[in-house]
Amino acid sequence: MVGPAAASAGSTMKLTGLAAVKAAQKDLSPRFVILSGPDSGQLRRLAEAIATRHRAQNPELEFKRFSEDDLKANPGGVEEAISSASLFGGAAIAHVRVSGEKDAASLAGLLERVDKGGPKPEGVLILDVGDIGRSSKTRKAFEDSSHAWSLQLYETTRDELLGVARAEAKAAGVSIELDALAAILEAVAQDTDSVAAEVQKLAVYAGAEGVIDLACVEAVGSGGREAGLDEAIDAAFSGQPALMVQRLEQAFGGGANPVAILNGTGRRVRLLLQVRAGVEGGGNAAEILKHPKMGVFWKRQAEVARQAGLWSRSALEDVLTATLEADGQVKRAGSPDTALVEQLLIRIAKRAERIAKR
């Protein structure tokens, strides 16, 4: 058996972004790996890539997933899985997904034992901590250990999401048009799992060797798109407070998630900032928005161009700051998230209304 690679004595391995992905795909990791980042789908694929490299060296290693519920039901299950002394067969690769420092810290103890000279497990622990903060003691323990890797991914880029969509379409045996790609990314949450699931659903509608086009996206009602969500954001940035409230109530009534609305608001601000930068560089907003990379429906380009002409760069930067602050508040336990989102969009709509009257 060829064992997992270990960093040289006294050295550590901390990689981010593309370097982290390349390492997972090409190199054999040590027996302990921590994964962090905001996109759970990306982290899952990274864990699978790490497992694939190990199983290529030792096919007998089983790949097992553990949730927080599994940890509660059997606190020693992960240690048993990565140990050669398991009662249920040989050692395994354990992919453990946790969301808090408490569960993460309990598993970091397995690494600490090895760092202090204890025996190394025969299996591999892949600890997926999601978007955990830099202050995490567990993350620091992995970063400082010579027996572990720390791999961090960032927010998924538009190009990465497009790549996921194209790959899913290819796997399903269908083709996908540029307008449809833009529509999907406009409608769904900006994570790889949401995009992949949406393309899979559309591929079933399109049929074998079919085409996912804009008509297909609109027919299926892409992305589980909550009624009124885009319309509420449009009304806010166009300076129509009354219409915004009406559309927002419609969105919430259709089951819209406040975080999804905040994500959509943030995307709109960044889009308008991008258009403003292009206009200030001598470009034309309408022409800029026609580019496929901008990801705006052709039917909506005129309205977005009007919004870009209404808002200044400094005003948009103020809105972006307020949106990020609201996002942080919404993610705190017990925060009245629906009220916070409504208050934010009302402030945006009122400000746009004042700007339009000047």
Side-chain angles (χ1 to χ4, degrees):
M1 165 182 167
V2 179
S8 59
S11 67
T12 59
M13 177 72 85
K14 176 184 176 183
L15 297 172
T16 61
L18 184 58
V21 174
K22 287 182 177 179
Q25 294 173 343
K26 296 182 179 180
D27 300 327
L28 198 65
S29 78
R31 300 174 198 274
F32 295 91
V33 182
I34 191 169
L35 309 179
S36 59
D39 188 323
S40 61
Q42 275 193 321
L43 297 182
R44 188 186 66 254
R45 291 177 179 86
L46 205 61
E48 291 168 352
I50 292 169
T52 297
R53 293 289 297 130
H54 280 283
R55 297 192 70 191
Q57 296 289 336
N58 181 9
E60 294 182 2
L61 283 174
E62 186 180 354
F63 185 47
K64 295 183 178 180
R65 299 188 191 276
F66 292 82
S67 66
E68 290 179 329
D69 289 340
D70 294 327
L71 296 181
K72 291 175 183 176
N74 182 10
V78 173
E79 182 176 5
E80 183 180 76
I82 65 175
S83 170
S84 60
S86 170
L87 296 176
F88 303 99
I93 302 166
H95 175 210
V96 189
R97 171 77 178 177
V98 298
S99 59
E101 181 67 21
K102 182 179 179 181
D103 286 329
S106 67
L107 295 171
L110 301 176
L111 171 61
E112 182 181 5
R113 196 182 306 166
V114 173
D115 283 339
K116 290 181 177 179
K120 297 177 181 178
E122 290 297 318
V124 181
L125 171 61
I126 305 173
L127 180 56
D128 178 343
V129 295
D131 200 13
I132 202 166
R134 292 182 180 180
S135 61
S136 165
K137 293 181 179 179
T138 300
R139 180 169 155 182
K140 189 174 189 308
F142 275 74
E143 291 174 352
D144 292 344
S145 174
S146 61
H147 299 99
W149 277 3
S150 173
L151 306 183
Q152 179 188 3
L153 298 183
Y154 301 118
E155 290 283 352
T156 312
T157 67
R158 180 178 176 79
D159 285 344
E160 288 170 337
L161 293 174
L162 288 171
V164 168
R166 291 189 177 104
E168 290 294 336
K170 183 177 180 180
V174 300
S175 59
I176 187 165
E177 296 184 351
L178 283 175
D179 279 353
L181 283 169
I184 292 167
L185 295 198
E186 181 77 11
V188 304
Q190 300 297 284
D191 62 78
T192 53
D193 279 351
S194 296
V195 171
E198 189 60 27
V199 174
Q200 291 164 10
K201 180 177 71 176
L202 290 166
V204 172
Y205 182 86
E209 299 183 4
V211 178
I212 298 175
D213 56 15
L214 190 56
C216 175
V217 174
E218 292 176 342
V220 174
S222 188
R225 177 178 170 182
E226 297 90 345
L229 191 156
D230 284 342
E231 290 80 1
I233 294 172
D234 268 335
F237 283 92
S238 298
Q240 303 175 72
L243 179 61
M244 187 283 298
V245 171
Q246 179 184 350
R247 293 293 185 253
L248 188 60
E249 288 178 353
Q250 182 184 356
F252 284 138
N257 187 311
V259 174
I261 295 177
L262 280 175
N263 289 341
T265 303
R267 287 196 301 273
R268 180 62 58 84
V269 177
R270 293 182 177 92
L271 172 65
L272 294 177
L273 280 168
Q274 193 173 354
V275 176
R276 287 299 312 165
V279 170
E280 290 168 9
N284 176 274
E287 292 301 316
I288 292 170
L289 286 163
K290 288 180 181 178
H291 197 289
K293 284 189 176 181
M294 299 303 287
V296 180
F297 286 145
W298 66 269
K299 292 180 180 179
R300 299 181 58 244
Q301 288 171 5
E303 175 58 26
V304 176
R306 194 183 75 79
Q307 293 170 16
L310 187 64
W311 289 84
S312 68
R313 179 191 289 267
S314 61
L316 288 169
E317 288 172 347
D318 288 344
V319 171
L320 182 58
T321 298
T323 303
L324 294 173
E325 290 174 351
D327 184 62
Q329 290 178 284
V330 164
K331 289 177 179 177
R332 294 173 196 156
S335 293
D337 47 11
T338 300
L340 283 169
V341 171
E342 185 173 19
Q343 290 165 15
L344 173 67
L345 290 187
I346 287 173
R347 292 201 304 270
I348 293 172
K350 289 286 190 181
R351 183 164 184 175
E353 185 179 42
R354 291 195 301 270
I355 295 171
K357 290 179 178 179
R358 290 176 185 169

